[in-house]
Amino acid sequence: MPLKADLDAIDWKILRELQADGRMTNVELSNRVGISAPPCLRRVKRLEEAGIIRGYRALLNAPALGLDVVAFCLVGLHHQADAELRTFAERTRGWPIVRDAWMVSGESDFLLHCVASDLGAFQTFVIEELTSTPNVDTVRTALTIRRVKDEGLVAF
């Protein structure tokens, strides 16, 4: 698969290090990738401006915050015209319980990653919000048992 960005070995090192720890200082990053701080900062800025680095965020421990239920919902729509797909996608942005949403191919149209305080809150969302949403045909849910892998989104 051809790369969509012109990256050299140092850029890849920067991306690997920042994906592992986005809070490190530029000086620490430059030491880890083997270049001085000023060109390292210029490279990071270039990667940000190119949209390769989309942002930085804290990874929160959901159970420590009382959010103990993680589940996935596979949603099938009655109609899959572009307008209906866009409408449903927009609706997912208004549901705080939905943390990630993907349009998918196959038997379902969307995959929703949900995080809730308890099973009752998740069930209420599924029954009162999701299944009653216009154009929703089917909803299949899968409750997680435990996370077995938690890596950055891009493999190096």
Side-chain angles (χ1 to χ4, degrees):
M1 181 174 96
L3 291 176
K4 295 182 179 181
D6 184 23
L7 304 176
D8 65 14
I10 298 294
D11 291 329
W12 284 106
K13 286 180 183 179
I14 288 170
L15 294 173
R16 186 178 308 110
E17 293 295 335
L18 287 177
Q19 185 170 252
D21 179 5
R23 290 190 67 192
M24 77 177 73
T25 66
N26 182 58
V27 171
E28 175 66 21
L29 178 60
S30 68
N31 288 334
R32 288 188 187 187
V33 301
I35 61 175
S36 64
C40 185
L41 184 58
R42 283 193 298 272
R43 284 173 178 262
V44 170
K45 294 293 183 198
R46 182 177 50 82
L47 293 166
E48 290 170 347
E49 289 166 1
I52 294 168
I53 297 175
R54 294 186 306 128
Y56 303 88
R57 63 172 72 167
L59 301 174
L60 305 180
N61 181 338
L65 297 169
L67 300 168
D68 293 320
V69 173
V70 177
F72 292 89
C73 298
L74 286 163
V75 180
L77 303 181
H78 287 290
H79 308 285
Q80 291 80 23
D82 191 53
E84 282 85 2
L85 294 169
R86 288 178 194 260
T87 297
F88 185 82
E90 183 61 35
R91 187 173 293 258
T92 66
R93 291 179 182 92
W95 291 326
I97 200 169
V98 176
R99 304 314 307 154
D100 266 320
W102 295 88
M103 187 182 302
V104 296
S105 64
E107 293 182 23
S108 299
D109 299 303
F110 288 87
L111 173 66
L112 310 180
H113 170 213
C114 302
V115 178
S117 57
D118 54 48
L119 186 57
F122 175 68
Q123 289 173 329
T124 298
F125 165 71
V126 170
I127 294 166
E128 296 181 11
E129 292 281 339
L130 188 54
T131 59
S132 65
T133 298
N135 197 31
V136 168
D137 180 33
T138 60
V139 175
R140 293 184 325 199
T141 62
L143 294 171
T144 63
I145 296 170
R146 70 176 156 257
R147 175 176 264 161
V148 296
K149 185 174 182 179
D150 184 14
E151 298 289 330
L153 294 178
V154 178
F156 294 97

